[in-house]
Amino acid sequence: MPKTKNYKKLALCILLDAVGYTSFIIPGIGEFSDIIWAPASAWIMTKLYKGQQGKIAAGISFLEEAMPGLDVIPTFTLMWFYTYVFSANKNENKVLKSKKTLI
């Protein structure tokens, strides 16, 4: 995936995390909005990230939005960093190690 698409996905993730923060704007009503946002955020997470990682992230996103007070965790943004920064570094290290063993 080209880097520009990665950064567009990062911007989308930040926006989606901001939507999750809106429950803090209106006390009382905000936690009620999480009843709607929790399953919606889980579904969106499965669409953004495929496979087993997407399913696990969706479960975490659902719990984070459903539990009162945990809305401050930027789940979408953390998943982006996990996918495109931390996992990418692991894959690069594996490739470098395999090249060294071939030489």
Side-chain angles (χ1 to χ4, degrees), residues 16-36:
L16 291 168
D17 283 328
V19 170
Y21 295 150
T22 58
S23 65
F24 289 118
I25 294 173
I26 307 169
I29 296 175
E31 292 301 327
F32 177 74
S33 69
D34 284 343
I35 294 171
I36 297 167

Side-chain angles (χ1 to χ4, degrees), residues 15-103:
L15 176 69
L16 291 168
D17 283 328
V19 170
Y21 295 150
T22 58
S23 65
F24 289 118
I25 294 173
I26 307 169
I29 296 175
E31 292 301 327
F32 177 74
S33 69
D34 284 343
I35 294 171
I36 297 167
W37 179 242
S41 70
W43 181 80
I44 293 169
M45 189 70 82
T46 62
K47 297 303 174 190
L48 286 174
Y49 301 100
K50 303 293 183 192
Q52 185 72 18
Q53 291 178 343
K55 291 176 185 177
I56 292 169
I60 292 169
S61 180
F62 179 83
L63 289 174
E64 179 254 330
E65 291 296 338
M67 299 294 288
L70 294 180
D71 290 348
V72 297
I73 301 170
T75 312
F76 285 98
T77 306
L78 289 174
M79 183 60 182
W80 185 89
F81 275 102
Y82 174 77
T83 302
Y84 296 108
V85 177
F86 302 123
S87 292
N89 288 340
K90 286 181 185 177
N91 291 336
E92 288 175 10
N93 288 338
K94 286 180 183 176
V95 169
L96 289 175
K97 286 179 182 178
S98 67
K99 284 183 180 180
K100 286 181 182 178
T101 58
L102 292 175
I103 295 177

